Amino acid sequence: MESEESSSTVEGARHPRLVVLAGPTAVGKGTVAAYVREHHPEVWLSVSATTRKARPGERDGVHYLFVSDEEFEQMRHEGNLLEWAVVHGRAKYGTPRGPVQNTLDAGRPALLEIDLQGARQVRQAMPEALFVFLAPPTWDELVQRLVGRGTESEAERHDRLESAKVELAAASEFDVTIVNDDVARAAQDLVSLLVEPPVSRKGLKP
Ligand code: 5GP
Protein backbone atom coordinates (compact mmCIF):
# COMPACT_ATOMS: atom_id res chain seq x y z
CA MET A 1 0.00 0.00 0.00
CA GLU A 2 2.58 2.51 1.13
CA SER A 3 4.87 1.79 -1.78
CA GLU A 4 1.98 2.33 -4.22
CA GLU A 5 1.26 5.73 -2.68
CA SER A 6 4.93 6.61 -2.57
CA SER A 7 5.40 5.76 -6.22
CA SER A 8 2.43 7.93 -7.17
CA THR A 9 4.14 10.83 -5.41
CA VAL A 10 7.49 10.28 -7.03
CA GLU A 11 6.21 9.36 -10.46
CA GLY A 12 3.72 12.21 -10.42
CA ALA A 13 6.58 14.46 -11.45
CA ARG A 14 7.12 12.46 -14.65
CA HIS A 15 3.67 11.12 -15.53
CA PRO A 16 0.63 13.08 -16.58
CA ARG A 17 -1.52 13.63 -13.62
CA LEU A 18 -5.21 13.22 -12.97
CA VAL A 19 -6.61 15.73 -10.48
CA VAL A 20 -10.13 15.37 -9.09
CA LEU A 21 -11.71 18.56 -7.79
CA ALA A 22 -14.69 18.15 -5.47
CA GLY A 23 -16.29 20.16 -2.71
CA PRO A 24 -19.64 21.28 -1.36
CA THR A 25 -22.45 22.60 -3.48
CA ALA A 26 -22.05 26.23 -4.60
CA VAL A 27 -18.49 26.49 -3.31
CA GLY A 28 -17.54 27.60 -6.81
CA LYS A 29 -16.09 24.43 -8.35
CA GLY A 30 -17.68 25.31 -11.67
CA THR A 31 -16.31 28.87 -11.56
CA VAL A 32 -12.80 27.68 -10.73
CA ALA A 33 -13.03 25.05 -13.49
CA ALA A 34 -14.25 27.70 -15.95
CA TYR A 35 -11.30 29.91 -15.01
CA VAL A 36 -8.91 27.05 -15.67
CA ARG A 37 -10.64 26.32 -19.00
CA GLU A 38 -10.18 29.94 -20.07
CA HIS A 39 -6.68 30.65 -18.79
CA HIS A 40 -4.93 27.29 -18.88
CA PRO A 41 -5.41 25.57 -22.23
CA GLU A 42 -2.60 23.16 -21.28
CA VAL A 43 -5.01 21.57 -18.81
CA TRP A 44 -7.65 19.27 -20.25
CA LEU A 45 -11.00 19.51 -18.51
CA SER A 46 -13.33 16.53 -18.62
CA VAL A 47 -16.80 17.21 -20.05
CA SER A 48 -19.39 15.34 -17.98
CA ALA A 49 -22.56 13.79 -19.29
CA THR A 50 -25.70 14.91 -17.49
CA THR A 51 -29.42 14.33 -17.71
CA ARG A 52 -30.25 17.81 -16.44
CA LYS A 53 -31.39 20.55 -18.81
CA ALA A 54 -28.91 23.16 -20.01
CA ARG A 55 -28.95 26.51 -18.19
CA PRO A 56 -28.83 29.72 -20.22
CA GLY A 57 -25.34 30.16 -21.68
CA GLU A 58 -24.37 26.50 -21.33
CA ARG A 59 -23.28 24.76 -24.51
CA ASP A 60 -23.62 21.08 -25.31
CA GLY A 61 -20.20 19.47 -25.59
CA VAL A 62 -18.45 22.39 -23.88
CA HIS A 63 -19.93 22.65 -20.40
CA TYR A 64 -21.69 19.28 -20.39
CA LEU A 65 -22.88 16.59 -22.74
CA PHE A 66 -26.63 17.02 -22.29
CA VAL A 67 -28.13 13.57 -22.74
CA SER A 68 -31.47 11.85 -22.22
CA ASP A 69 -31.90 9.35 -19.42
CA GLU A 70 -31.84 6.54 -22.02
CA GLU A 71 -28.56 7.80 -23.48
CA PHE A 72 -27.05 8.09 -20.01
CA GLU A 73 -28.12 4.56 -19.07
CA GLN A 74 -26.65 3.24 -22.30
CA MET A 75 -23.28 4.88 -21.54
CA ARG A 76 -23.41 3.42 -18.06
CA HIS A 77 -24.31 -0.11 -19.12
CA GLU A 78 -21.64 -0.15 -21.80
CA GLY A 79 -19.05 0.68 -19.13
CA ASN A 80 -18.28 4.04 -20.69
CA LEU A 81 -18.46 6.02 -17.44
CA LEU A 82 -15.48 6.25 -15.11
CA GLU A 83 -17.89 7.27 -12.35
CA TRP A 84 -21.45 8.47 -12.12
CA ALA A 85 -23.88 9.74 -9.51
CA VAL A 86 -27.33 11.14 -8.96
CA VAL A 87 -26.61 14.63 -7.64
CA HIS A 88 -29.07 16.37 -5.29
CA GLY A 89 -31.50 13.53 -5.98
CA ARG A 90 -32.44 15.09 -9.29
CA ALA A 91 -30.19 14.45 -12.26
CA LYS A 92 -27.51 11.96 -13.25
CA TYR A 93 -23.96 13.10 -13.91
CA GLY A 94 -21.06 10.99 -15.13
CA THR A 95 -17.51 11.19 -16.45
CA PRO A 96 -16.97 9.59 -19.87
CA ARG A 97 -14.07 7.19 -19.42
CA GLY A 98 -12.48 7.22 -22.90
CA PRO A 99 -11.54 10.91 -23.13
CA VAL A 100 -9.88 10.83 -19.69
CA GLN A 101 -7.79 7.81 -20.61
CA ASN A 102 -6.88 9.23 -24.04
CA THR A 103 -5.76 12.50 -22.46
CA LEU A 104 -3.55 10.84 -19.86
CA ASP A 105 -2.16 8.49 -22.54
CA ALA A 106 -1.29 11.55 -24.64
CA GLY A 107 0.70 12.97 -21.73
CA ARG A 108 -1.64 15.83 -20.84
CA PRO A 109 -2.76 16.61 -17.30
CA ALA A 110 -6.48 16.08 -16.80
CA LEU A 111 -8.93 17.71 -14.42
CA LEU A 112 -12.28 16.31 -13.28
CA GLU A 113 -14.76 18.60 -11.52
CA ILE A 114 -17.27 16.25 -9.93
CA ASP A 115 -19.27 15.67 -6.77
CA LEU A 116 -18.13 13.81 -3.69
CA GLN A 117 -19.81 10.50 -4.57
CA GLY A 118 -18.04 10.55 -7.92
CA ALA A 119 -14.70 11.45 -6.34
CA ARG A 120 -14.98 8.40 -4.08
CA GLN A 121 -15.58 6.15 -7.08
CA VAL A 122 -12.55 7.59 -8.89
CA ARG A 123 -10.47 6.97 -5.78
CA GLN A 124 -11.42 3.29 -6.01
CA ALA A 125 -10.73 3.08 -9.75
CA MET A 126 -7.65 5.35 -9.91
CA PRO A 127 -6.08 5.70 -6.46
CA GLU A 128 -3.03 7.34 -8.03
CA ALA A 129 -5.07 10.47 -8.82
CA LEU A 130 -4.76 13.55 -6.62
CA PHE A 131 -7.94 14.49 -4.76
CA VAL A 132 -8.48 18.19 -4.11
CA PHE A 133 -11.21 19.60 -1.88
CA LEU A 134 -12.42 23.11 -2.67
CA ALA A 135 -13.59 24.71 0.58
CA PRO A 136 -15.57 27.93 1.19
CA PRO A 137 -13.91 30.59 3.38
CA THR A 138 -16.80 30.13 5.88
CA TRP A 139 -20.14 28.33 6.12
CA ASP A 140 -21.99 31.70 5.98
CA GLU A 141 -20.19 32.51 2.77
CA LEU A 142 -21.33 29.19 1.32
CA VAL A 143 -24.98 29.85 2.23
CA GLN A 144 -24.67 33.34 0.74
CA ARG A 145 -23.36 31.92 -2.52
CA LEU A 146 -26.06 29.28 -2.66
CA VAL A 147 -28.89 31.76 -2.17
CA GLY A 148 -27.22 34.43 -4.28
CA ARG A 149 -27.02 32.26 -7.38
CA GLY A 150 -30.79 32.33 -7.72
CA THR A 151 -31.01 29.61 -10.34
CA GLU A 152 -32.63 27.02 -8.08
CA SER A 153 -36.07 26.74 -6.50
CA GLU A 154 -36.43 26.87 -2.71
CA ALA A 155 -36.78 23.09 -2.55
CA GLU A 156 -33.58 22.70 -4.57
CA ARG A 157 -31.71 25.16 -2.33
CA HIS A 158 -32.81 23.21 0.72
CA ASP A 159 -31.59 19.93 -0.82
CA ARG A 160 -28.30 21.53 -1.81
CA LEU A 161 -27.67 22.95 1.69
CA GLU A 162 -28.29 19.53 3.18
CA SER A 163 -25.84 17.99 0.70
CA ALA A 164 -23.33 20.76 1.41
CA LYS A 165 -23.29 19.98 5.15
CA VAL A 166 -22.46 16.34 4.47
CA GLU A 167 -19.95 17.27 1.79
CA LEU A 168 -18.10 19.77 4.04
CA ALA A 169 -17.53 17.02 6.57
CA ALA A 170 -15.69 15.01 3.91
CA ALA A 171 -12.74 17.42 3.57
CA SER A 172 -10.49 15.13 5.59
CA GLU A 173 -10.80 12.38 2.95
CA PHE A 174 -8.94 14.56 0.44
CA ASP A 175 -5.23 14.94 -0.23
CA VAL A 176 -5.27 18.73 -0.48
CA THR A 177 -7.71 21.51 0.46
CA ILE A 178 -7.87 24.77 -1.48
CA VAL A 179 -9.92 27.62 0.01
CA ASN A 180 -11.94 29.44 -2.62
CA ASP A 181 -11.66 33.01 -1.32
CA ASP A 182 -10.30 34.22 -4.66
CA VAL A 183 -11.12 32.40 -7.91
CA ALA A 184 -7.92 33.30 -9.77
CA ARG A 185 -5.71 32.23 -6.87
CA ALA A 186 -7.66 29.04 -6.23
CA ALA A 187 -7.42 28.18 -9.95
CA GLN A 188 -3.69 28.90 -9.91
CA ASP A 189 -3.20 26.65 -6.88
CA LEU A 190 -5.12 23.92 -8.67
CA VAL A 191 -3.09 24.21 -11.86
CA SER A 192 0.13 24.08 -9.82
CA LEU A 193 -1.01 20.73 -8.45
CA LEU A 194 -1.69 19.45 -11.95
CA VAL A 195 1.76 20.24 -13.23
CA GLU A 196 3.80 20.13 -10.05
CA PRO A 197 2.77 17.55 -7.46
CA PRO A 198 3.15 18.26 -3.75
CA VAL A 199 6.13 16.75 -2.00
CA SER A 200 4.06 14.63 0.34
CA ARG A 201 0.52 13.34 0.34
CA LYS A 202 -1.82 12.67 3.21
CA GLY A 203 -0.76 9.51 4.96
CA LEU A 204 2.87 9.87 3.95
CA LYS A 205 3.81 12.55 6.44
CA PRO A 206 6.44 11.45 8.95
P1 5GP B 1 -24.48 21.74 -11.81
O1 5GP B 1 -25.78 21.07 -12.19
O2 5GP B 1 -24.69 22.89 -10.87
O3 5GP B 1 -23.64 22.10 -13.00
O4 5GP B 1 -23.61 20.66 -11.02
C1 5GP B 1 -24.16 20.02 -9.90
C2 5GP B 1 -23.10 19.14 -9.28
O5 5GP B 1 -22.79 18.05 -10.15
C3 5GP B 1 -21.78 19.81 -8.95
O6 5GP B 1 -21.47 19.49 -7.61
C4 5GP B 1 -20.80 19.15 -9.89
O7 5GP B 1 -19.52 19.04 -9.31
C5 5GP B 1 -21.41 17.78 -10.06
N1 5GP B 1 -20.94 17.11 -11.27
C6 5GP B 1 -20.71 17.65 -12.49
N2 5GP B 1 -20.28 16.72 -13.35
C7 5GP B 1 -20.20 15.55 -12.66
C8 5GP B 1 -19.78 14.22 -13.00
O8 5GP B 1 -19.40 13.90 -14.11
N3 5GP B 1 -19.87 13.30 -12.02
C9 5GP B 1 -20.30 13.58 -10.76
N4 5GP B 1 -20.30 12.61 -9.88
N5 5GP B 1 -20.68 14.82 -10.40
C10 5GP B 1 -20.64 15.80 -11.34
Side-chain angles (χ1 to χ4, degrees):
M1 261 310 188
E2 195 179 312
S3 63
E4 266 177 39
E5 284 227 333
S6 300
S7 74
S8 72
T9 303
V10 174
E11 292 181 9
R14 286 183 278 120
H15 289 295
R17 151 158 293 214
L18 177 63
V19 170
V20 178
L21 179 68
T25 299
V27 72
K29 295 189 297 281
T31 311
V32 170
Y35 190 95
V36 172
R37 186 189 288 118
E38 195 176 330
H39 293 89
H40 294 277
E42 74 278 19
V43 173
W44 178 82
L45 204 60
S46 169
V47 180
S48 298
T50 183
T51 59
R52 84 149 161 77
K53 298 273 174 286
R55 295 190 187 120
E58 286 183 331
R59 282 192 289 141
D60 190 30
V62 176
H63 300 95
Y64 282 104
L65 299 169
F66 295 100
V67 297
S68 65
D69 196 63
E70 292 71 29
E71 288 168 323
F72 192 96
E73 284 304 305
Q74 190 176 346
M75 292 173 87
R76 191 160 81 80
H77 283 117
E78 289 175 352
N80 293 335
L81 297 178
L82 176 61
E83 59 74 35
W84 76 279
V86 175
V87 181
H88 311 310
R90 289 192 160 74
K92 295 172 185 170
Y93 295 79
T95 302
R97 185 191 299 277
V100 174
Q101 202 51 60
N102 293 343
T103 300
L104 295 175
D105 289 349
R108 270 182 91 187
L111 177 62
L112 309 187
E113 183 259 292
I114 59 178
D115 89 321
L116 183 61
Q117 308 167 75
R120 288 181 175 136
Q121 292 171 46
V122 178
R123 192 187 273 293
Q124 292 295 315
M126 304 175 85
E128 69 281 11
L130 185 76
F131 294 83
V132 179
F133 190 82
L134 192 66
T138 62
W139 170 254
D140 285 350
E141 178 81 16
L142 185 65
V143 173
Q144 200 65 39
R145 288 181 195 182
L146 194 55
V147 174
R149 189 155 68 177
T151 50
E152 293 85 22
S153 68
E154 197 173 321
E156 273 180 315
R157 279 204 299 275
H158 176 265
D159 287 357
R160 286 179 173 225
L161 268 181
E162 287 305 306
S163 301
K165 280 184 199 160
V166 175
E167 288 173 345
L168 261 187
S172 62
E173 293 173 29
F174 285 72
D175 299 311
V176 180
T177 295
I178 293 176
V179 177
N180 188 20
D181 47 6
D182 179 89
V183 171
R185 205 222 68 252
Q188 189 54 58
D189 286 358
L190 185 62
V191 170
S192 307
L193 292 171
L194 275 148
V195 295
E196 190 188 304
V199 175
S200 72
R201 292 180 53 169
K202 193 162 71 78
L204 293 177
K205 292 183 190 116

